[in-house]
Amino acid sequence: MTIDALIELLSEYREQYGPDAEVRLMTQENWPFENRIAGITSGSEMNEASEEDPTEYFDDQDVAEDAIVYIVEGGQICYGSKRAWETCRDC
């Protein structure tokens, strides 16, 4: 999914549910959980972090392509539903 596609889908949901709707991350289709979102990062930011402080990331290598954006899980809230995968809108 591209950033433009994600923004377009999120905009549609914002129009339907309002700007204060909570956004969660649904993980593990076979045993689903709803998780908070800690934040967003990129492959570039993760790769640069290992260059800035090699002692902290001594066993890491470049983790990804620079242009990949990650939504980072922030902790489990509750058990989820497999219906999320059946009903999700993808691009």
Side-chain angles (χ1 to χ4, degrees), residues 23-86:
V23 179
R24 295 182 180 182
L25 181 65
M26 185 72 76
T27 61
Q28 304 181 144
E29 182 177 3
N30 292 329
W31 191 4
F33 289 100
E34 295 178 22
N35 297 285
R36 290 180 181 83
I37 296 173
I40 297 177
T41 192
S42 69
S44 175
E45 292 168 319
M46 291 190 297
N47 292 332
E48 287 173 12
S50 65
E51 293 169 8
E52 291 172 7
D53 188 357
T55 59
E56 185 173 347
Y57 304 100
F58 67 91
D59 61 345
D60 279 356
Q61 55 186 347
D62 282 358
V63 293
E65 297 292 324
D66 286 349
I68 295 177
V69 176
Y70 296 91
I71 297 174
V72 181
E73 178 181 328
Q76 180 182 331
I77 297 170
C78 61
Y79 186 72
S81 170
K82 293 180 181 182
R83 283 178 283 172
W85 283 265
E86 297 167 6

